């Protein structure tokens, strides 16, 4: 009786000459002779085997390969907002902002293309004129306003 694991090795020992050339001996060692590479599309170029020194140099340099470059993050567009009101922007503010349901510095800054500090000044200005009113408790941190509802109070 032969062990089950020996059967494939014995079968490989009875291979034809072409299989023996590819797989080496009965234990599957690789052949020691170097075969020429298949001809490429451009022309029949033979692969030149590197010398031992060249192989060692390539192996040693493998660890010093180029570091992976990180992908650049998405760059946000730089806003060129105005830092002062001109006549046209002031008129637009007086006409449009008191009609909005939600008035915050972010909304004013987005609509009129002005700086955040200018938007806060504009909200204070509209509140002093009585065109808008505070939502909830008044806070310096959260400037949330809405349009004036009803007549004069």
């Amino acid at each position: 009786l032969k062990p089950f694991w020996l059967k494939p090795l014995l079968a490989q020992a009875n291979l034809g000459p072409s299989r023996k050339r590819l797989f080496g001996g009965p234990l599957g060692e690789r052949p020691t002779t170097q075969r020429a590479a298949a001809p490429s599309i451009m022309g029949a170029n033979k692969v030149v085997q590197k010398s031992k020194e060249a192989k060692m140099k390539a192996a040693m340099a493998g660890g010093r390969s180029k570091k992976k470059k990180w992908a650049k993050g998405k760059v946000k567009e730089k806003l060129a907002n105005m830092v002062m009101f001109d006549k046209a922007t002031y008129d637009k503010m007086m006409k449009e902002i008191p009609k909005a349901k939600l008035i915050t510095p972010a909304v004013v800054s987005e609509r009129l293309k002005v700086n955040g500090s200018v938007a806060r000044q504009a909200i204070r200005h509209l509140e002093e004129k009585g065109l808008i009113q505070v939502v909830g408790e008044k806070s310096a941190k959260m400037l949330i306003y809405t349009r004036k509802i009803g007549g004069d109070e």
Side-chain angles (χ1 to χ4, degrees):
L1 269 162
K2 294 175 187 151
F4 70 94
W5 53 268
L6 194 59
K7 204 178 263 185
L9 296 177
L10 293 173
Q12 194 177 20
N14 298 331
L15 294 176
S18 61
R19 284 281 292 226
K20 276 189 181 176
R21 201 173 340 115
L22 287 176
F23 293 106
L27 296 177
E29 300 100 20
R30 299 302 290 166
T32 55
T33 57
Q34 182 69 25
R35 290 187 300 145
S40 64
I41 296 169
M42 293 291 189
N45 296 341
K46 288 189 175 182
V47 176
V48 180
Q49 190 173 358
K50 294 179 185 176
S51 66
K52 281 190 177 181
E53 293 83 28
K55 283 183 182 178
M56 280 296 288
K57 196 178 267 187
M60 296 300 283
R64 293 191 305 257
S65 61
K66 289 183 182 175
K67 297 251 184 209
K68 182 187 172 196
K69 292 189 178 175
W70 291 94
K72 298 278 189 278
K74 290 183 182 175
V75 179
K76 195 175 177 184
E77 277 188 40
K78 183 81 173 142
L79 296 175
N81 288 343
M82 293 186 293
V83 293
M84 288 176 68
F85 277 121
D86 56 358
K87 182 75 174 135
T89 313
Y90 179 80
D91 293 338
K92 187 176 176 183
M93 177 198 60
M94 295 303 282
K95 191 175 85 175
E96 284 185 14
I97 301 300
K99 294 177 185 171
K101 283 185 180 177
L102 174 72
I103 302 164
T104 63
V107 171
V108 175
S109 176
E110 182 71 28
R111 284 206 188 170
L112 303 176
K113 300 288 183 245
V114 294
N115 214 339
S117 57
V118 176
R120 287 195 300 273
Q121 291 287 339
I123 288 173
R124 267 189 236 122
H125 178 74
L126 290 170
E127 187 188 14
E128 286 168 8
K129 290 215 173 210
L131 298 171
I132 60 176
Q133 66 183 18
V134 180
V135 175
E137 290 183 28
K138 189 168 182 177
S139 167
K141 290 179 183 172
M142 243 175 26
L143 298 171
I144 301 176
Y145 292 82
T146 188
R147 60 184 173 216
K148 197 85 165 185
I149 300 168
D152 293 328
E153 291 179 29

